[in-house]
Amino acid sequence: MNSDTREILATKDVAWERRIMAARRRATLIDRAMTGVMSLAALFLVIVLSGVIFIILRAGLPAISWTFLTTASSITDPGGGIGPQIWVTMYILVLSLAIVTPIGVGAAIYLSEYARPGPITNAIRFSTEALASVPSVVFGVFGAIVFLTIMNLGFSVLSGSLTLALLNLPLMVRIAEDAIRAVPTAYREASLALGGSRWETIRKAVLPSALPGIITALVLTGGRIIGETAPLILTTGTTISPNAQYSLNPLQTGETLAVHIWVLKIVGVPGLQDAQLVADGSAAVLLLIVLIINVGMAYFTNRLTQRLRGASGAPRAGGSKKG
Amino acid sequence: MSEQTSGHRTLAVRESSARADAPAAIEARDFNFYYGDFRALEQITMLAPRHQITALIGPSGAGKSTLLRAMNRMHDETPGVSSDGQLLLEGADINGFSDLIDLRKRVGMIFQRPNPFPMSIFDNVAYGLRLKSQGAKKGVIAEQVEQALRGAAIWDEVKDKLQQSGLALSGGQQQRLCIARAIAVEPEVLLMDEPCAALDPIATLKIEELMGELEERYTIVIVTHNLQQAGRVSDQTVFLSMNPETRAGFVVEVGPTQQIFTNPKDDRTLAYISGRFG
Ligand SMILES: Nc1ncnc2c1ncn2[C@@H]1O[C@H](COP(=O)(O)OP(=O)(O)O)[C@@H](O)[C@H]1O
Ligand SMILES: [Mg+2]
C-alpha cells in the first residue's frame, strides 16, 4: 500500500469500510457454503437412485432367467416364474393409460385453452387438487364399490384399470396443462393469423409443441400405475386364474408384479421355499421395466425435440443470431 | 431518394411513385377501441391504399399495435375488448365478418419476434395451405410452398433443407420464413408489427428490400419504431400519439410519407420527427 492510498483511506471512514469488507467476506462464505449444501442435496439424489438400483438388482438378478420371466408362478413348488404377472402389469398399464390420457389431455386442453376464469373453472381446479391428494387406498375402496358392486365388473383387470385411471387423472391433467400452457402464445397467434380455427390451432400448433411435456405426464403416470398395490388388491384381486393366463379378456382377475411382491413379502405363501427370491426377482424386474420406460421415453422425447427445434436442439425463436 | 436535413442528421425519404388517390384496402373512420373501460384508440381515421406500404409511427403506448391487431381481429382472443366506429377491408366492415377464418386468410400478419412453428421449413409454409384445402394434392402444395419461399426471397437459402426445422434458421431467415408462411395463403393485406425489432441491420435491410417487392402484390401496413425505416420503406405514414390525460391513442396526421417527413402540417408531428432524429 503506497502512501497515497493510505492517505485516501485515512480520509474515509475506515471502520465503515471494514464493516463492508467483513459483510462481503461473510456473504461470499455463505454463498460457498450454500452452493456446497445444494450440490450435496443434489448428489444425494444420485446416490439414492444408484443405491436403489444396486441393492434391488443385487437381490433380484440371481432369480431372473428366461424361465423366470416366461413361466407361471407356483404357490407350492420352488422354481415358479412371473410371466403372467408381467402380462397383467403391462395390460393394466396400457389400459389405464388408454383411459386416462384422452380424458386427462382433454381436460387439460379445456382448462388451458377454453376455460375463462370464474367459479366453474375454480371448482374444476379445486377438484383436481383435492383429488390429487386423496390416498390411493381410498380410490381402491371407491373402485370396489362402483366397479365391482354397482357396475358388477367383479375383480378384474378392467375394474383395476378404471380405478387407476381415476387415481391418476389429476396428475395427468396438471402436468399436461402445464405443458400446454408453456407453449408460446406466438405459436397460437401465428396459427390464428393464418386463418386457423381454434381447434386447428390447438391440434396442429399447440399440441405438437406440448407433446414432450405430455409424454412426461404419461411416463410419470405410467410409473405410478406400475407401482400401485392397494387399489389393485381391492379391484383386480391377487390371483391369476390358471386358465386365463396371458388372456386379453379385461374381465379376468389379475395380479400385477407389484401386488405379487406384496403377496409374497407381506401375506406370505406358506410352504413356498423360494418366496423371498421370487419377490426379489419380481422387484428387480419391476425396476428394470420402469428404468427401460424412462430411458426409452427420454430418448424418444429428445429425438422429437431435436426434430422440432432443429439439429442443435437449443436455440429458440428469436433474433439473437445473425441474419 | 430525396434528402432532408432535420437536426444534424440526414433522413432519406423514399420517392414514392404511389398514387395518393389509390383505392383504400383498409380504412378506419372514427374508429374507437376499448380494453374493458380503457379507451386505447380514439376516433381513428386513416387509410391504407391498395398495393402501397403504410407506416404506423408514434410513441410507445400510442396504440399502434392495437390498431394493427384490430385489422385482422387478433383481439377476438382477448376477453373484454370492444370497439365502435368503422374499420373496413375493401369497404366491408371488419368486425362484421361472420367468417373470422376468411378475414384472416385475406389479412395476414407478421409479428415482432419471428415465430416459426417448431416444425420443418416446408411444414411451416404449408401450414396455412393445409388449413385451407385439406384435400390438396401433395405436388400442388409443394409448388405453392416453393412459390411462397421465392416470394419471400428465402428460397435459395433453404431449398436444400426444406425438411429441417424452421427454428434452426437465423433470426432474419426466420422472419422471412414467416413472411413466406403468410403469403402462401395469398392474402390481400400483410400486417407487420415491428417486424425488424429483433433483427440485426443486415437482416433488417433484407426485409426492407423484400417489402419493396411485396408491395406489388400486397397492401402492407407496418408498425415501426424506427423512423428511418418508415422513411425508407413506406408510401403513406400515419402518426399516432397519446392523449396525456386519458392515454387514448389518436391520429395526429396522415399523409404521404414524403410530406409527413419533410413538411408536416402539425407541429406535434414536426416535434416528434425532429425529436427522434435530432
Ligand atoms: N391486452 C391489453 N389489455 C389492456 N390494455 C392493453 C392491452 N394491450 C395494450 N394495452 C394498452 O393499450 C395501449 C396501447 O398499447 P399498444 O397498442 O401496444 O401500443 P404501441 O404498440 O403503440 O406501443 C397501452 O396503453 C397499453 O397499455
Ligand atoms: Mg406495439
Side-chain angles (χ1 to χ4, degrees):
Chain A
M1 200 186 280
N2 63 35
S3 60
D4 282 14
T5 357
R6 211 172 290 147
E7 242 168 274
I8 293 166
L9 266 185
T11 58
K12 284 193 181 174
D13 187 340
V14 178
W16 174 244
E17 290 275 321
R18 276 211 194 105
R19 264 191 23 224
I20 290 185
M21 292 311 280
R24 253 182 228 160
R25 264 198 302 276
R26 215 165 37 240
T28 316
L29 262 169
I30 293 177
D31 237 32
R32 287 215 188 113
M34 287 319 285
T35 311
V37 171
M38 304 293 174
S39 37
L40 272 182
L43 188 65
F44 182 68
L45 276 173
V46 179
I47 294 172
V48 171
L49 178 65
S50 322
V52 169
I53 294 176
F54 178 75
I55 295 194
I56 295 296
L57 289 191
R58 200 173 70 153
L61 276 184
I64 297 180
S65 66
W66 184 245
T67 332
F68 181 69
L69 293 177
T70 52
T71 55
S73 56
S74 156
I75 49 163
T76 46
D77 306 310
I82 54 168
Q85 280 80 10
I86 295 179
W87 171 258
V88 170
T89 304
M90 295 322 243
Y91 193 175
I92 289 184
L93 174 68
V94 171
L95 193 54
S96 313
L97 284 181
I99 298 165
V100 76
T101 308
I103 302 175
V105 173
I109 291 174
Y110 173 78
L111 284 172
S112 56
E113 301 289 318
Y114 290 96
R116 295 256 178 260
I120 297 177
T121 309
N122 288 345
I124 295 174
R125 224 170 273 288
F126 177 78
S127 312
T128 316
E129 301 289 318
L131 271 182
S133 54
V134 173
S136 64
V137 67
V138 175
F139 272 97
V141 172
F142 172 83
I145 295 172
V146 173
F147 302 127
L148 272 65
T149 314
I150 299 177
M151 293 175 67
N152 207 17
L153 296 173
F155 279 103
S156 65
V157 164
L158 183 59
S159 301
S161 299
L162 286 167
T163 307
L164 290 191
L166 289 182
L167 170 67
N168 283 298
L169 194 54
L171 181 74
M172 187 64 142
V173 172
R174 203 190 304 171
I175 303 178
E177 190 190 343
D178 283 350
I180 295 170
R181 276 188 197 284
V183 175
T185 323
Y187 296 165
R188 295 183 178 84
E189 290 194 326
S191 170
L192 292 170
L194 285 166
S197 69
R198 198 117 180 243
W199 174 239
E200 278 173 324
T201 297
I202 291 170
R203 193 167 55 85
K204 300 181 124 186
V206 177
L207 285 185
S209 306
L211 198 56
I214 293 173
I215 291 172
T216 305
L218 278 173
V219 171
L220 287 177
T221 312
R224 279 181 29 157
I225 291 170
I226 289 177
E228 206 53 74
T229 49
L232 286 179
I233 293 162
L234 298 174
T235 53
T236 46
T238 56
T239 53
I240 297 175
S241 155
N243 45 24
Q245 283 166 6
Y246 308 112
S247 157
L248 265 174
N249 177 7
L251 293 176
Q252 67 179 311
T253 64
E255 185 195 36
T256 62
L257 271 179
V259 174
H260 193 49
I261 296 170
W262 174 80
V263 169
L264 292 174
K265 284 263 183 198
I266 311 292
V267 183
V269 181
L272 183 60
Q273 283 145 25
D274 65 351
Q276 290 307 317
L277 190 61
V278 172
D280 291 343
S282 303
V285 171
L286 198 54
L287 183 66
L288 286 174
I289 292 177
V290 171
L291 285 180
I292 289 170
I293 291 179
N294 264 285
V295 172
M297 282 305 181
Y299 176 77
F300 176 73
T301 320
N302 253 333
R303 285 286 301 269
L304 186 73
T305 316
Q306 239 169 50
R307 222 194 52 222
L308 295 177
R309 301 212 156 277
S312 57
R316 278 272 316 282
S320 52
K321 287 190 294 176
K322 290 263 182 270
Chain B
M1 298 260 169
S2 71
E3 298 205 329
Q4 182 238 353
T5 314
S6 158
H8 345 274
R9 268 206 229 174
T10 307
L11 164 62
V13 178
R14 156 191 171 140
E15 205 92 63
S16 176
S17 56
R19 289 165 40 227
D21 59 346
I26 291 206
E27 183 171 5
R29 284 193 212 135
D30 297 328
F31 180 70
N32 295 290
F33 189 91
Y34 309 83
Y35 291 108
D37 295 334
F38 169 58
R39 192 209 301 238
L41 293 175
E42 183 172 1
Q43 299 294 105
I44 302 290
T45 297
M46 51 84 56
L47 57 82
R50 235 182 254 163
H51 298 282
Q52 294 191 21
I53 301 179
T54 301
L56 304 183
I57 61 168
S60 240
K64 306 179 295 294
S65 300
T66 302
L67 179 57
L68 196 75
R69 293 165 71 87
M71 293 174 181
N72 71 343
R73 280 174 60 188
M74 283 309 275
H75 294 299
D76 280 27
E77 312 302 318
T78 317
V81 303
S82 60
S83 64
D84 54 52
Q86 282 187 305
L87 189 59
L88 310 170
L89 169 65
E90 295 292 346
D93 183 11
I94 285 175
N95 288 309
F97 266 74
S98 56
D99 188 357
L100 198 54
I101 293 173
D102 179 48
L103 170 69
R104 288 179 178 156
K105 273 179 184 149
R106 291 175 62 186
V107 185
M109 190 161 209
I110 310 297
F111 298 84
Q112 184 167 343
R113 294 189 71 81
N115 58 352
F117 297 118
M119 41 179 97
S120 74
I121 291 169
F122 185 94
D123 287 345
N124 261 286
V125 183
Y127 189 91
L129 296 170
R130 288 175 175 148
L131 297 176
K132 195 177 178 182
S133 48
Q134 252 109 27
K137 293 201 176 71
K138 252 195 175 156
V140 180
I141 285 198
E143 236 165 67
Q144 285 167 295
V145 166
E146 176 175 341
Q147 244 174 32
L149 287 167
R150 282 187 193 281
I154 192 181
W155 171 252
D156 289 334
E157 289 154 75
V158 301
K159 62 172 185 256
D160 299 323
K161 46 179 182 181
L162 291 176
Q163 292 313 318
Q164 281 180 25
S165 169
L167 293 183
L169 297 172
S170 72
Q173 289 174 324
Q174 287 188 12
Q175 196 60 302
R176 277 179 287 141
L177 176 62
C178 292
I179 293 175
R181 183 175 66 183
I183 62 177
V185 297
E186 296 175 351
E188 297 159 33
V189 180
L190 278 179
L191 308 174
M192 304 187 171
D193 194 348
E194 302 192 38
C196 303
L199 307 182
D200 63 77
I202 296 171
T204 299
L205 196 68
K206 278 195 183 152
I207 302 267
E208 288 180 6
E209 280 170 14
L210 173 59
M211 286 171 64
E213 292 166 26
L214 292 172
E215 187 182 12
E216 313 205 331
R217 302 184 56 189
Y218 311 97
T219 303
I220 297 178
V221 183
I222 177 175
V223 170
T224 177
H225 252 104
N226 180 335
L227 284 189
Q228 278 96 341
Q229 181 169 63
R232 281 192 299 264
V233 303
S234 71
D235 306 293
Q236 308 289 331
T237 295
V238 178
F239 173 47
L240 291 163
S241 189
M242 196 179 8
N243 182 323
E245 269 150 46
T246 63
R247 291 176 54 235
F250 63 97
V251 173
V252 177
E253 190 169 351
V254 185
T257 300
Q258 208 171 359
Q259 177 249 309
I260 296 264
F261 277 61
T262 57
N263 186 22
K265 296 195 176 105
D266 197 299
D267 287 347
R268 289 169 295 185
T269 316
L270 180 65
Y272 181 73
I273 287 178
S274 46
R276 290 292 294 259
F277 281 103

